[in-house]
Amino acid sequence: MANATDHLWMHFTRMASYSAGEVPTIVRGEGAYVWDAQGRRYLDGLAGLFVVNAGHGRTELAEAAAKQAGELAYFPLWSYAHPKAIELAERIAALTPGDLNRIFFTTGGSEAVEAAWKLARAYFKRTGKPNKYKVISRYIAYHGTSMGALSITGLPGIKSDFEPLVPGAIKVPNTNFYRAPEHGDDPEAFGRWAADEIGRAIEREGPDTVAAVFLEPVQNSGGCFPPPPGYFERVREICDAYDVLLVSDEVICSWGRLGEYFGAVRYGYQPDIITTAKGITSGYAPLGAMIASDRLMEPFLTETGMFAHGVTFGGHPVSCAVALANLEVFAREDLVGHVRANEDAFRATLEKLYDLPIVGDVRGDGYFYGIELVKDKTTRETFTEAESERLLRGFLSTALFQAGLYCRADDRGDPVIQLAPPLIAEQQHFDEIEQILRTVLTEAWTKL
């Protein structure tokens, strides 16, 4: 629509790039597809933004929202409750691993991460360790954009405008085995090294100052880095040894994305906190949550105890009603099982692209993959910043969309294409993704 840039300030968008052209405007969705204002169809290869897990056009989720809005459109969770929040908290607690039974609702992922850091600080102050306030996270990792979450984020390019940030955010190596600085021929040894870097960081900072470690099950930014064998087992040992909380940031990796309700279950580790959002409602309403263990709530159960934190729309009745309806869809259609049954086929279809000279690595799990692009497959030489700009923003982003595939061409680490389709996707969709990528990447190689 011609007037889209007159008043609408789009997120993470170079607004000047639309000064001479129209903004792509999406008006409808159905299943794994969306349509723009001109009637063109696109395969949604990113589930919106890792969000629309149950697929587009689910009228029962819209109806659940309308029904709840007619009964109770809004009431806060500040010293009061409402039935849908109670029911949803109970439903979530039944799905989480271990004793993660305390559900603190937010409206999205950044708020959930912010709440988790605040809880970690408050917990240690109330248990006699007031100097434990720092957090450790990984290079290139994205954990949100509010000031605390942005401090935990490991992407310098989106932080510089807002510095100085919250002090105490420490960075350690990520689990990109394709570019492992150590043990590049041994995934298990690499995983041990990467986990031990967390322990070394805790020692450098002082164990009495570190409150938490924030890790995604599969790191998003940089292009889907799965954990090496034994990585999370070792991280858990380190956190226990130093009395540091392990926060599993599952804003993307929960609700079936990795073939389990929670990524921590997929990889067999027990967090102290899980942060979640996105797929909890499949995007039909905004909702997030910080999920904490019972022991973390104990210091706040005294007569005057209170976690002095809250957000106006956290646990909104309409959003909770949508989340409950969404989980009914998950259960009835076994969407989590569907991902497990089809993830090998998805991987195998994407791995067909290895015959292209520009494809260096295909990595991920479940329905969550990154394809790293390279100049030289043998040496794994990557592109310069200028080359990456021309390749990703100058060609691939537009060309893939024009070819009918909505996905992410990402330059926050080495150049990658990210794919995370709705969990309803099947082989026909995998084939369509592969065919479009093959055509566009083949053309991209000729432009280098």
Side-chain angles (χ1 to χ4, degrees):
M1 295 183 180
N3 61 347
T5 58
D6 292 347
H7 305 288
L8 180 62
W9 197 336
M10 290 171 285
H11 300 203
F12 281 108
T13 300
R14 297 181 180 182
M15 297 296 290
S17 64
Y18 292 116
S19 59
E22 288 192 7
V23 176
T25 303
I26 304 302
V27 299
R28 183 170 70 87
E30 184 66 34
Y33 295 93
V34 294
W35 284 259
D36 68 13
Q38 283 71 45
R40 293 184 291 256
R41 190 185 78 166
Y42 307 88
L43 176 56
D44 185 356
L46 205 64
L49 195 60
F50 316 101
V51 171
V52 191
N53 289 10
H56 297 277
R58 294 278 188 171
T59 56
E60 63 196 280
L61 302 189
E63 290 166 357
K67 183 174 184 293
Q68 180 59 44
E71 294 175 358
L72 179 67
Y74 174 75
F75 211 78
L77 295 179
W78 299 42
S79 300
Y80 299 90
H82 57 76
K84 289 298 189 257
I86 297 169
E87 185 180 353
L88 181 59
E90 183 178 19
R91 184 76 174 266
I92 293 171
L95 297 170
T96 53
D99 67 340
L100 292 170
N101 296 317
R102 305 294 184 163
I103 320 300
F104 185 95
F105 287 116
T106 65
T107 61
S110 291
E111 286 180 358
V113 170
E114 201 85 17
W117 192 2
K118 291 180 76 172
L119 176 60
R121 288 185 170 205
Y123 170 79
F124 283 117
K125 282 192 175 184
R126 288 169 177 266
T127 54
K129 298 182 178 181
N131 294 323
K132 289 175 79 72
Y133 71 94
K134 298 175 184 176
V135 294
I136 292 172
S137 59
R138 297 183 291 205
Y139 291 122
I140 312 300
Y142 177 89
H143 292 282
T145 53
S146 55
M147 290 300 276
L150 186 61
S151 302
I152 299 171
T153 289
L155 293 163
I158 65 170
K159 300 168 72 165
S160 58
D161 278 350
F162 312 107
E163 294 173 332
L165 297 171
V166 180
I170 314 303
K171 303 299 178 288
V172 296
N174 58 47
T175 60
N176 183 2
F177 183 63
Y178 184 67
R179 300 199 175 277
E182 302 278 348
H183 308 290
D185 58 348
D186 186 341
E188 191 166 346
F190 170 65
R192 177 80 181 206
W193 170 83
D196 284 343
E197 282 295 296
I198 294 173
R200 285 187 275 272
I202 293 172
E203 285 287 350
R204 287 194 301 269
E205 296 298 319
D208 60 338
T209 71
V210 179
V213 175
F214 280 70
L215 304 172
E216 297 166 277
V218 173
Q219 182 174 318
N220 170 36
S221 289
C224 301
F225 305 145
Y231 175 78
F232 275 112
E233 181 181 2
R234 178 60 182 149
V235 171
R236 182 71 267 180
E237 291 174 355
I238 291 167
C239 288
D240 289 342
Y242 292 110
D243 191 20
V244 170
L245 304 182
L246 175 55
V247 181
S248 189
D249 184 355
E250 307 208 15
V251 171
I252 289 175
C253 291
S254 51
W255 311 114
R257 180 57 52 194
L258 299 177
E260 296 285 351
Y261 278 101
F262 293 97
V265 175
R266 165 82 188 231
Y267 300 117
Y269 63 95
Q270 180 59 52
D272 300 294
I273 298 173
I274 288 176
T275 54
T276 187
K278 293 187 183 286
I280 191 172
T281 65
S282 286
Y284 286 70
L287 186 67
M290 175 191 69
I291 308 169
S293 69
D294 288 327
R295 76 179 178 95
L296 296 183
M297 192 173 190
E298 287 177 4
F300 303 94
L301 295 177
T302 63
E303 186 174 343
T304 58
M306 178 183 65
F307 179 42
H309 179 58
V311 289
T312 299
F313 292 110
H316 192 284
V318 173
S319 296
C320 289
V322 171
L324 286 164
N326 184 51
L327 292 180
E328 286 299 318
V329 171
F330 268 66
R332 184 178 69 245
E333 299 182 12
D334 190 19
L335 292 183
V336 173
H338 181 77
V339 172
R340 288 197 300 270
N342 289 278
E343 64 175 336
D344 290 344
F346 188 29
R347 177 190 292 272
T349 304
L350 294 178
E351 286 180 343
K352 291 179 181 180
L353 297 168
Y354 270 132
D355 66 350
L356 299 180
I358 198 172
V359 173
D361 194 27
V362 177
R363 55 181 178 253
D365 276 323
Y367 275 23
F368 189 30
Y369 277 88
I371 299 172
E372 183 168 336
L373 309 179
V374 294
K375 287 170 66 174
D376 189 308
K377 290 168 77 85
T378 303
T379 64
R380 302 186 181 182
E381 180 185 1
T382 191
F383 297 91
T384 66
E385 186 174 340
E387 290 169 336
S388 181
E389 173 76 14
R390 290 197 304 272
L391 174 66
L392 295 181
R393 298 182 187 274
F395 176 70
L396 280 178
S397 292
T398 300
L400 288 167
F401 191 68
Q402 289 177 344
L405 176 62
Y406 166 71
C407 60
R408 169 183 272 176
D410 192 2
D411 61 353
R412 291 178 295 178
D414 293 300
V416 295
I417 292 173
Q418 280 190 293
L419 298 157
L423 307 189
I424 59 171
E426 297 178 331
Q427 187 61 51
Q428 68 187 71
H429 304 109
F430 308 155
D431 289 339
E432 187 175 349
I433 289 170
E434 188 270 341
Q435 289 160 12
I436 292 174
L437 287 173
R438 177 172 296 278
T439 299
V440 174
L441 290 176
T442 298
E443 184 179 355
W445 185 251
T446 68
K447 295 180 177 294
L448 295 175

